[in-house]
Amino acid sequence: MSESRPKVYFLLDACVTLWVNKAMQSSLAVGLIGSEGAVGLGSALGQSTQHLHFEVQKSGQAWCVDGRALQGLLQTNPSILRVIARYLWQMANDIARMAAAIQSEDIPTRLAAWLVLCAERTHSQQLSLTHDQLAHMLGVRRVSITLAAAKLKEQGILDYKRGTIDILDMDRLLKLADSSAHVGK
């Protein structure tokens, strides 16, 4: 029986949702990782991520590195740690903004912010997402997403069909998202 070795994935064109597990409840999406980041850095830094889990939102390619090998590399080349620290600080900032939006913004504004973040991380204005997935990510009922998306569709900001959302007017979506301290900037 071989020991499972932790891996770190440096995403090239994939997109992964970061979820936090709420005690005795469902999970909540708090971040989105694209080509700017990596999944599994906790293992290379000797940290546990038991309250977090990751889910592929858009499949794609990634560089895979053994977590222990990366940990050794970080110990001998601290300049690499500086790059990783800068990325982790940006992720912490994004998560804090997302948490603030959850507490204070209405659902259409939160939806706009999440769609902008998805478009930025996937480098596409056509997103493969269902209303059910979005509701789960934002921690709201599906009907709330349907109503918010219908409002954005009526305004000509987006269009959607079963499982696909097309952003038609990114500038207006950004403006709506910016009203909640847009998480992607």
Side-chain angles (χ1 to χ4, degrees):
M1 198 182 269
S2 66
E3 180 182 329
S4 175
R5 299 196 43 110
K7 304 288 185 201
V8 178
Y9 298 90
F10 292 90
L11 307 179
L12 300 175
D13 60 355
C15 191
V16 175
T17 305
L18 171 63
W19 298 84
V20 63
N21 300 323
K22 298 187 292 184
M24 305 296 287
Q25 297 178 17
S26 62
S27 300
L28 181 67
V30 293
L32 197 60
I33 305 163
S35 60
E36 82 294 341
V39 175
L41 284 171
S43 66
L45 299 172
Q47 299 296 308
S48 168
T49 58
Q50 64 190 30
H51 65 287
L52 301 173
H53 72 273
F54 302 90
E55 183 178 299
V56 174
Q57 182 173 310
K58 177 188 172 225
S59 62
Q61 297 181 342
W63 291 100
C64 180
V65 178
D66 179 85
R68 291 187 185 134
L70 182 59
Q71 189 175 35
L73 184 64
L74 293 174
Q75 290 173 353
T76 59
N77 296 300
S79 61
I80 297 171
L81 192 55
R82 178 181 218 130
V83 173
I84 290 174
R86 197 175 6 227
Y87 160 70
L88 291 174
W89 178 253
Q90 181 59 50
M91 177 177 265
N93 188 41
D94 290 349
I95 291 169
R97 287 183 181 180
M98 186 68 67
I102 289 168
Q103 292 294 316
S104 61
E105 300 299 336
D106 63 12
I107 293 170
T109 304
R110 289 173 50 203
L111 175 61
W114 190 260
L115 292 175
V116 167
L117 186 61
C118 289
E120 288 174 348
R121 297 299 194 259
T122 62
H123 306 288
S124 175
Q125 291 188 19
Q126 185 176 63
L127 308 171
S128 296
L129 292 167
T130 65
H131 289 191
D132 194 50
Q133 289 172 310
L134 287 165
H136 187 84
M137 289 175 191
L138 296 178
V140 299
R141 297 178 332 162
R142 188 184 61 75
V143 68
S144 299
I145 295 298
T146 300
L147 292 171
K151 180 179 176 183
L152 296 175
K153 185 176 183 175
E154 286 173 15
Q155 295 173 2
I157 296 173
L158 60 84
D159 192 18
Y160 55 86
K161 297 174 189 74
R162 193 170 281 268
T164 302
I165 296 175
D166 292 304
I167 299 172
L168 304 176
D169 191 336
M170 180 57 90
D171 290 336
R172 288 177 57 208
L173 190 65
L174 270 166
K175 190 173 186 175
L176 178 58
D178 278 337
S179 69
S180 72
H182 167 52
V183 294
K185 289 191 174 181

